[in-house]
Amino acid sequence: MIKRQIKTHSREDMLDITKIIQEALLESSRMDISAVLVFVPHTTAGVTINENADPDVRTDIIAGLRRLVPMEQGFRHAEGNSDAHIKASLLGSSLMVPVENGRLALGTWQGIYFAEFDGPRNRTVVIKTI
Amino acid sequence: MIKRQIKTHSREDMLDITKIIQEALLESSRMDISAVLVFVPHTTAGVTINENADPDVRTDIIAGLRRLVPMEQGFRHAEGNSDAHIKASLLGSSLMVPVENGRLALGTWQGIYFAEFDGPRNRTVVIKTI
Amino acid sequence: MIKRQIKTHSREDMLDITKIIQEALLESSRMDISAVLVFVPHTTAGVTINENADPDVRTDIIAGLRRLVPMEQGFRHAEGNSDAHIKASLLGSSLMVPVENGRLALGTWQGIYFAEFDGPRNRTVVIKTI
């Protein structure tokens, strides 16, 4: 299991971690990797795959999720970050990417993103080769 | 493949199944488990990871999802549970958790939840070590 | 890694790919398959599991997602398909299904769906046995 520390820069942030995951693959002692599990060990952040070209897509995803789940809507949890917990569950904490010859088999326009919903913070990404 | 029967208690419910998954790991005959696949074989329930401390977070997630997808919005499916099908797809039917030395490598505040959207019912959780 | 080409038929479409995935399993050279990873290498489409019986459920899911994320809401991305990117992240690009004796261990009412949000297009599905 490989852990990487990252730093998010605002309350809501989509950080491209594709290179971090690819580099972690090279460290794995496992031969013949089939896939990689990317896992976020937090409850107010998630992980997703989306476009790696136009950064406006990331801005639109953050804005779209904020419109879906506004920060204040009479939640009970006293920390004021229930919207972040809900968004974390909507995107999910784990994803799998196929690996071929030691390389992530992503589509041309795909990048892997750490989705922060309650930053800025120091965060951890867990990478496990399968 | 290990199956566990659970019982949900209301139409919408988030049941903590972390201990059930951890105990199933001990039953697996596989040596050197890398990860565990948690799979829900239903179409009106899902599985998600979220906070295991303040139970208000679960209440807020259920309420937040109900606001996103209200029970009645002129759906065509005659069983009146289309909202439950949509929520099941939003959270997802499968998730992967890394395993280290036979233990779930969850973050400090993480628990695994069976998310019921059309209960109360008897339900099944499928656990597969990888 | 097995790739299959599919064709979606409208801007938003849910294509049943269960049979495609099951047939791909038979092609795998791997003995004793534990699970199958279904991966969508696109950023305006996703993959999900839902009901395989009443086709109205698919119609309701597409309509429900459209209500959640309307096509126009002042997005910045110039291609006019930001809603499709957001829906792709909500459903996800990867899912795992347990396999027993070479067969998908799906629930009785479950099918695997390619979820198109910016079609009609020729698309690819990636299948990896684990």
Side-chain angles (χ1 to χ4, degrees), chain B residues 3-110:
Chain B
K3 289 187 182 188
R4 285 287 174 273
Q5 305 308 316
I6 59 170
K7 204 188 205 41
T8 59
H9 301 103
S10 46
R11 184 167 194 270
E12 289 147 357
D13 198 3
M14 281 184 70
L15 219 65
D16 189 341
I17 55 171
T18 315
K19 202 176 284 185
I20 292 172
I21 310 297
Q22 178 60 57
E23 286 169 0
L25 283 188
L26 305 175
E27 272 186 39
S28 170
S29 57
R30 182 190 290 261
M31 292 284 128
D32 199 23
I33 302 172
S34 297
V36 62
L37 163 59
V38 184
F39 183 79
V40 167
H42 308 288
T43 60
T44 53
V47 62
T48 193
I49 288 176
N50 220 297
E51 180 171 317
N52 59 6
D54 180 0
D56 279 348
V57 172
R58 263 113 81 195
T59 311
D60 287 348
I61 292 173
I62 288 174
L65 290 173
R66 200 185 298 137
R67 239 169 272 151
L68 276 183
V69 190
M71 202 172 155
E72 291 303 336
Q73 9 167 255
F75 289 122
R76 289 172 54 172
H77 181 50
E79 293 180 34
N81 60 357
S82 286
D83 65 312
H85 287 287
I86 295 169
K87 290 175 199 164
S89 276
L90 287 176
L91 292 206
S93 310
S94 72
L95 60 78
M96 293 275 290
V97 181
V99 173
E100 282 284 281
N101 304 317
R103 306 230 24 115
L104 295 168
L106 289 168
T108 315
W109 307 106
Q110 288 184 318

Side-chain angles (χ1 to χ4, degrees), chain C residues 20-115:
Chain C
I20 292 172
I21 310 297
Q22 179 60 56
E23 286 169 0
L25 283 187
L26 305 175
E27 273 187 38
S28 169
S29 57
R30 182 191 290 261
M31 292 284 127
D32 198 23
I33 301 172
S34 296
V36 63
L37 163 60
V38 184
F39 183 80
V40 167
H42 307 288
T43 61
T44 53
V47 62
T48 193
I49 288 176
N50 221 295
E51 180 171 317
N52 61 7
D54 180 359
D56 279 349
V57 172
R58 265 113 81 193
T59 311
D60 287 347
I61 292 173
I62 288 173
L65 291 173
R66 200 186 296 138
R67 238 169 272 152
L68 277 183
V69 190
M71 202 173 154
E72 291 302 335
Q73 7 167 257
F75 290 122
R76 289 172 54 173
H77 181 49
E79 293 180 34
N81 60 357
S82 286
D83 66 311
H85 287 287
I86 295 170
K87 290 174 199 163
S89 276
L90 287 175
L91 291 205
S93 310
S94 71
L95 60 78
M96 294 275 291
V97 181
V99 172
E100 282 283 283
N101 304 317
R103 310 242 5 129
L104 296 169
L106 289 168
T108 315
W109 306 106
Q110 288 184 318
I112 306 173
Y113 291 91
F114 183 94

Side-chain angles (χ1 to χ4, degrees), chain A residues 81-100:
Chain A
N81 61 357
S82 286
D83 65 311
H85 286 287
I86 296 169
K87 290 173 198 164
S89 275
L90 288 175
L91 292 206
S93 310
S94 72
L95 60 77
M96 294 276 290
V97 181
V99 172
E100 281 285 282

Side-chain angles (χ1 to χ4, degrees), chain A residues 48-63:
Chain A
T48 193
I49 288 175
N50 220 296
E51 180 171 316
N52 60 7
D54 181 359
D56 280 350
V57 172
R58 264 113 81 195
T59 310
D60 287 348
I61 292 173
I62 288 173

Side-chain angles (χ1 to χ4, degrees), chain A residues 10-86:
Chain A
S10 45
R11 184 166 194 270
E12 289 147 356
D13 198 4
M14 281 183 71
L15 219 66
D16 189 341
I17 54 171
T18 316
K19 204 176 284 183
I20 291 173
I21 309 298
Q22 179 60 57
E23 286 169 1
L25 283 188
L26 305 175
E27 271 186 39
S28 169
S29 56
R30 184 190 289 261
M31 293 284 127
D32 198 23
I33 302 172
S34 296
V36 64
L37 162 60
V38 184
F39 183 79
V40 168
H42 307 288
T43 59
T44 53
V47 62
T48 193
I49 288 175
N50 220 296
E51 180 171 316
N52 60 7
D54 181 359
D56 280 350
V57 172
R58 264 113 81 195
T59 310
D60 287 348
I61 292 173
I62 288 173
L65 290 173
R66 199 185 298 138
R67 237 170 272 149
L68 276 183
V69 190
M71 201 172 155
E72 293 302 335
Q73 9 166 254
F75 289 122
R76 289 173 53 172
H77 181 50
E79 292 179 34
N81 61 357
S82 286
D83 65 311
H85 286 287
I86 296 169

